[in-house]
Amino acid sequence: MHDFVRAQEETTARLATGFVGRGLIASHAYERIKAFFAESNRSDLESLFTELAADERETVETGIDLLEERDFEEGRREEVVSLAVRTVDIAASELTESIE
């Protein structure tokens, strides 16, 4: 996934993949880790991952705001969404492969 993000040369593509796609993945991962520590009664680590998840959600929101500021026409928005989704798909595939 990181190779896919790094391969994007255009600003718009980097925002879609790096800020939005990767940010969604990281936020989700931090939420899962936070839940684990909550169940383990480790409030110190739960708090840490709560902050990290919030930071990632802010990154996603910043990416979306920056993309919206660029006033994309409808066709361009579809491309941006496609790039973000592709980033998430790649990460999911990599996770599946590592489990198998």
Side-chain angles (χ1 to χ4, degrees):
M1 176 210 51
H2 288 101
D3 290 340
F4 178 69
V5 172
R6 287 185 197 106
Q8 306 307 311
E9 295 182 9
E10 182 193 15
T11 301
T12 299
R14 285 198 171 248
L15 287 170
T17 59
F19 275 63
V20 179
R22 190 211 52 81
L24 288 169
I25 295 160
S27 177
H28 179 73
Y30 291 145
E31 288 292 339
R32 299 290 303 259
I33 296 168
K34 176 183 87 167
F36 170 80
F37 286 122
E39 291 175 14
S40 301
N41 293 320
R42 293 289 312 265
S43 60
D44 56 331
L45 293 173
E46 178 186 1
S47 295
L48 170 66
F49 284 96
T50 298
E51 290 177 34
L52 290 171
D55 287 347
E56 287 299 336
R57 282 191 305 276
E58 188 174 315
T59 297
V60 171
E61 290 171 12
T62 298
I64 291 169
D65 289 344
L66 289 169
L67 288 165
E68 286 177 346
E69 285 176 13
R70 300 175 72 86
D71 287 329
F72 291 122
E73 64 278 358
E74 199 58 37
R76 187 70 172 159
R77 288 177 190 223
E78 290 175 15
E79 176 188 348
V80 167
V81 170
S82 177
L83 284 166
V85 168
R86 179 76 179 124
T87 305
V88 173
D89 286 345
I90 290 169
S93 294
E94 289 174 353
L95 176 61
T96 301
E97 287 175 16
S98 71
I99 292 173
E100 295 174 341

